[in-house]
Amino acid sequence: MKQESPIKRRESRQIMVGNVPVGGDAPIAVQSMTNTNTCDVDATVGQITALQDAGADIVRVSVPSMEAADAFGKIRERVSLPLVADIHFDHKIALRVAELGVDCLRINPGNIGREDRVSAVISACRDRDIPMRIGVNAGSLEKDLQRKYGEPTADALVESAMRHIDILDRHDFQSFKVSLKASEVFMTVDAYRKIATQIDQPLHLGITEAGGLRSGTVKSSIGLGMLLMDGIGDTIRVSLAADPVQEIKVGFDILKSLRLRSRGINFIACPSCSRQNFDVIQTMNDLEVRLEDVNESMDVAIIGCIVNGPGEAKVADLGLTGGSPKNLFYKDGKPNQKLDNATLTDDLERLVREEIKRRKEREDAIITRSDK
């Protein structure tokens, strides 16, 4: 299926997080956060590398101490992905990581003390072209807002964000993005919708503390999906109590489902029933693992019988329809060959990789001709 997304994205100004454009007409960036001890440089570099391999555009690293700031500098030297430093309260840590090559500061200016400290951090960011992310969280609202609203609300989140934005406005600093996160879906969605009409900076989306792999994926998909359908959102982070690599995978799956970005194989697979002529579930599980390294965009339909199989296969790049005695494989919407159940997964993996190789060779040939 080659249809474009019908979503009209909210107009926002563009900032640069390292070499990744955020906002404007840039692709929606997918990011995650390390959960290693930042002072363990090797472990943190290893996790960032794994996130990069999974497709992460940006990675956030917590920097809670000056020791962690020095470790951050060593990490920065060993990885190529843009890094966001997560800092609270201590402006000296922010100044230190600015010196060490941070690509973005996640810091709330209202939380770092006196005006001279705020000015120092803003000056350091301006001098080095470092953007900020204002990050408002329902679990850490200012005490006076907690008293005013009684409990976290969308309006409280927006009011908190606008306080921090006002500080940056007074210093004529506009290179920032904003997040307003809660674990409650409707509160989060309401807050983002409200602030989207009040500022033109990029918005970083997330349902914070969403839960484990399954429940957090569902909650994030619903909340982020509602906002993305509205055209709201320039970066996303799926917050899961799971391996951070899973956050990247789920993030791209959300964007792929809305046709906002494509990375890797988009599988169309039936849930299987008694009509199936091969084990659809096991075949899908095996293929997802075997083809996890594929970054190229491709639609692959795996359908167990002839009821919906031919129709799905005809609109996919590659497709399989269950049949007896053999299954019918489609390529570019046309029947191509028959595959036996005994070697089905091996054959499908081979055919997918052959198609990827063919596409790369064709692209290389086009590039070669254009260079002549």
Side-chain angles (χ1 to χ4, degrees):
M1 299 180 186
K2 307 303 180 186
Q3 303 173 32
E4 293 185 4
S5 175
I7 295 171
K8 187 179 187 309
R9 288 178 60 190
R10 160 183 171 267
E11 293 184 7
S12 65
R13 68 173 67 199
Q14 188 173 97
I15 63 174
M16 295 296 296
V17 179
N19 61 356
V20 175
V22 172
D25 59 355
I28 295 171
V30 179
Q31 74 176 70
S32 181
M33 184 175 183
T34 56
N35 59 17
T36 53
N37 182 343
T38 302
C39 292
D40 187 338
V41 173
D42 288 339
T44 305
V45 168
Q47 192 168 77
I48 293 171
T49 301
L51 291 167
Q52 183 172 19
D53 291 342
D57 298 300
I58 301 168
V59 173
R60 180 159 56 115
V61 179
S62 179
V63 187
S65 66
M66 197 60 74
E67 181 185 7
D70 291 336
F72 178 89
K74 297 174 182 176
I75 294 164
R76 172 70 285 171
E77 292 174 354
R78 292 173 55 182
V79 301
S80 58
L81 274 184
L83 299 182
V84 179
D86 190 89
I87 296 168
H88 295 277
F89 309 117
D90 192 341
H91 81 292
K92 292 180 181 178
I93 298 175
L95 296 176
R96 179 61 177 150
V97 295
E99 294 174 354
L100 295 171
V102 73
D103 297 293
C104 180
L105 288 179
R106 190 282 193 192
I107 188 168
N108 290 346
N111 293 342
I112 57 176
R114 300 191 308 263
E115 185 75 12
D116 60 326
R117 296 175 180 176
V118 175
S119 297
V121 173
I122 293 173
S123 294
C125 288
R126 181 179 284 114
D127 292 344
R128 295 174 172 85
D129 291 325
I130 300 170
M132 291 186 188
R133 171 156 81 88
I134 292 172
V136 175
N137 194 300
S140 56
L141 282 170
E142 295 92 323
K143 290 182 180 179
D144 67 312
L145 292 179
Q146 294 179 32
R147 291 192 296 270
K148 176 179 178 179
Y149 290 94
E151 61 182 15
T153 66
D155 287 334
L157 292 173
V158 172
E159 184 170 342
S160 176
M162 293 306 298
R163 286 182 177 180
H164 299 299
I165 291 169
D166 286 344
I167 295 172
L168 297 183
D169 283 345
R170 290 203 307 271
H171 289 79
D172 193 26
F173 186 84
Q174 300 300 318
S175 182
F176 64 89
K177 55 182 177 175
V178 179
S179 65
L180 306 91
K181 297 183 180 181
S183 59
E184 207 280 323
V185 170
F186 290 108
M187 185 193 310
T188 304
V189 171
D190 191 19
Y192 276 109
R193 284 174 172 166
K194 287 180 175 180
I195 204 163
T197 65
Q198 298 182 43
I199 64 173
D200 65 355
Q201 274 76 18
L203 296 176
H204 169 76
L205 304 187
I207 305 296
T208 193
E209 298 139 5
L213 180 57
R214 186 189 67 190
S215 60
T217 295
V218 172
K219 191 183 293 184
S220 297
S221 299
I222 292 171
L224 300 188
M226 292 169 71
L227 290 166
L228 292 167
M229 286 285 286
D230 286 347
I232 296 171
D234 302 286
T235 65
I236 65 170
R237 190 251 173 126
V238 178
S239 298
L240 301 176
D243 184 340
V245 168
Q246 296 297 328
E247 298 184 351
I248 300 301
K249 294 179 180 178
V250 173
F252 272 104
D253 284 342
I254 291 172
L255 295 179
K256 280 195 293 186
S257 70
L258 296 173
R259 302 189 217 130
L260 289 168
R261 279 191 76 176
S262 58
R263 185 181 192 276
I265 296 175
N266 176 39
F267 282 107
I268 300 103
C270 67
S272 79
C273 68
S274 62
R275 293 193 305 267
Q276 67 180 354
N277 289 286
F278 61 91
D279 189 338
V280 175
I281 294 174
Q282 188 60 55
T283 300
M284 271 304 310
N285 287 339
D286 290 343
L287 285 175
E288 284 190 325
V289 172
R290 291 190 186 197
L291 297 170
E292 199 169 40
D293 63 304
V294 174
N295 296 329
E296 289 75 15
S297 300
M298 182 185 300
D299 291 335
V300 177
I302 307 294
I303 310 296
C305 76
I306 61 172
V307 174
N308 294 324
E312 293 289 359
K314 287 178 180 177
V315 295
D317 297 302
L318 303 176
L320 181 72
T321 294
S324 181
K326 292 189 176 184
N327 310 293
L328 185 56
F329 177 75
Y330 288 73
K331 182 176 178 180
D332 295 327
K334 298 178 181 179
N336 179 268
Q337 59 184 284
K338 293 185 177 181
L339 303 179
D340 193 279
N341 278 1
T343 58
L344 185 57
T345 305
D346 290 339
D347 289 337
L348 287 170
E349 181 186 5
R350 172 179 55 81
L351 289 164
V352 169
R353 294 193 183 278
E354 286 177 356
E355 175 63 13
I356 292 169
K357 182 180 179 182
R358 184 184 70 84
R359 291 184 177 193
K360 285 183 176 179
E361 290 174 346
R362 185 176 61 191
E363 290 173 2
D364 290 344
I366 293 172
I367 293 173
T368 300
R369 286 198 299 268
S370 65
D371 289 341
K372 291 182 178 179

